[in-house]
Amino acid sequence: MIDGHAAAGNDSRRLFLSRFDIGTDLQSACVQPGLHFSPAPAELFGGRDMGEDALRLLWIYLAELKPLLVTVAAQSAVLGEAARWAGRKGI
């Protein structure tokens, strides 16, 4: 960082403390002064209640999928026959 302070030129593209050249202008016209950086209000429900725990949801999905796959496998002959019948009837 100390070496960066000796860098000259492109003052409009350099960060103030490190003098790092970010490659784009930092003029006030390029900055959005109306951005809202205050803390967001608390959510009505917790993240877990809103389904943010994707791994937990995946385990629930897999637990509910297993019995469905067992039932479909057991009934595959009946389902196949029903599909053939529907095909013959033009359904």
Side-chain angles (χ1 to χ4, degrees):
M1 291 296 184
I2 293 173
D3 292 338
H5 289 285
N10 295 329
D11 285 341
S12 64
R13 297 176 6 171
R14 294 188 180 278
L15 297 177
F16 179 69
L17 294 177
S18 67
R19 300 284 296 152
F20 180 77
D21 186 349
I22 63 168
T24 187
D25 276 342
L26 293 174
Q27 301 299 324
S28 61
C30 299
V31 177
Q32 296 177 349
L35 292 178
H36 181 61
F37 290 108
S38 64
E43 294 285 343
L44 184 59
F45 299 100
R48 182 180 173 98
D49 298 329
M50 295 295 288
E52 291 179 3
D53 188 353
L55 190 57
R56 181 179 63 90
L57 293 176
L58 180 60
W59 285 114
I60 292 171
Y61 168 78
L62 291 174
E64 293 183 8
L65 179 64
K66 281 184 182 179
L68 177 67
L69 292 177
V70 169
T71 302
V72 169
Q75 297 297 320
S76 64
V78 175
L79 292 173
E81 202 50 46
R84 282 188 284 285
W85 176 83
R88 288 193 305 265
K89 297 294 181 185
I91 298 174

